[in-house]
């Protein structure tokens, strides 16, 4: 069973049964508030994940991610939660610019 560890949300751990859902949907289904502004269509970068471990489980950049990467709006260690599915264990953080003011984040 793949796992998502969110470091800067108190090391929140999500066990994920096999699913073709996006990482964003899995996070939301686990009652975790995660920003997204474009309706999960890959048109913005508000759902970005900072990937610490497990980048090999993401595969090639999706078309929208490549566009943002080319524009300098998506770093090499960042992926969009709405555009990717979980293919193995990942360790991520909420990007600094996408943190909600009503949540308490840890280091």
């Amino acid at each position: 069973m793949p796992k998502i560890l969110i470091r800067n949300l108190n090391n929140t751990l999500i066990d994920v049964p096999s699913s073709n859902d996006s990482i964003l949907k899995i996070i939301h289904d686990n009652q975790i508030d995660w920003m997204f502004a474009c309706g999960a269509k890959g048109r913005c970068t508000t759902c970005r994940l900072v990937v610490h471990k497990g980048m090999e489980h993401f595969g090639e950049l999706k078309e929208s991610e490549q566009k943002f990467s080319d524009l300098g709006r998506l770093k090499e260690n960042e992926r969009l939660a709405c555009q990717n599915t979980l293919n193995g264990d990942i360790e991520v953080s909420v990007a600094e610019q996408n943190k909600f003011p009503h949540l308490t984040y840890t280091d």
Side-chain angles (χ1 to χ4, degrees):
M1 177 179 305
K3 296 175 179 20
I4 300 171
L5 175 70
I6 307 172
R7 279 187 184 180
N8 62 350
L9 281 176
N10 297 308
N11 288 314
T12 299
L13 184 64
I14 303 170
D15 289 319
V16 183
S18 291
S19 172
N20 288 328
D21 291 335
S22 73
I23 294 170
L24 180 64
K25 182 169 181 354
I26 292 166
I27 289 171
H28 284 160
D29 285 352
N30 282 271
Q31 286 71 52
I32 297 169
D33 207 2
W34 198 279
M35 187 181 294
F36 70 107
C38 70
K41 307 237 187 277
R43 295 182 187 147
C44 69
T45 59
T46 57
C47 71
R48 87 179 70 214
L49 305 159
V50 177
V51 182
H52 303 286
K53 292 184 182 175
M55 186 63 87
E56 66 275 10
H57 300 302
F58 285 87
E60 297 295 317
L61 291 173
K62 308 305 183 274
E63 185 177 335
S64 58
E65 292 178 306
Q66 187 63 59
K67 178 184 81 171
F68 289 119
S69 178
D70 292 345
L71 293 170
R73 293 183 54 199
L74 199 63
K75 297 176 185 171
E76 285 185 26
N77 66 330
E78 297 176 335
R79 298 301 293 265
L80 298 181
C82 73
Q83 296 297 297
N84 290 280
T85 57
L86 192 62
N87 298 311
D89 293 353
I90 59 172
E91 197 170 307
V92 299
S93 292
V94 179
E96 189 65 36
Q97 64 270 40
N98 300 115
K99 290 180 176 178
F100 283 122
H102 67 279
L103 293 178
T104 302
Y105 295 90
T106 55
D107 292 333

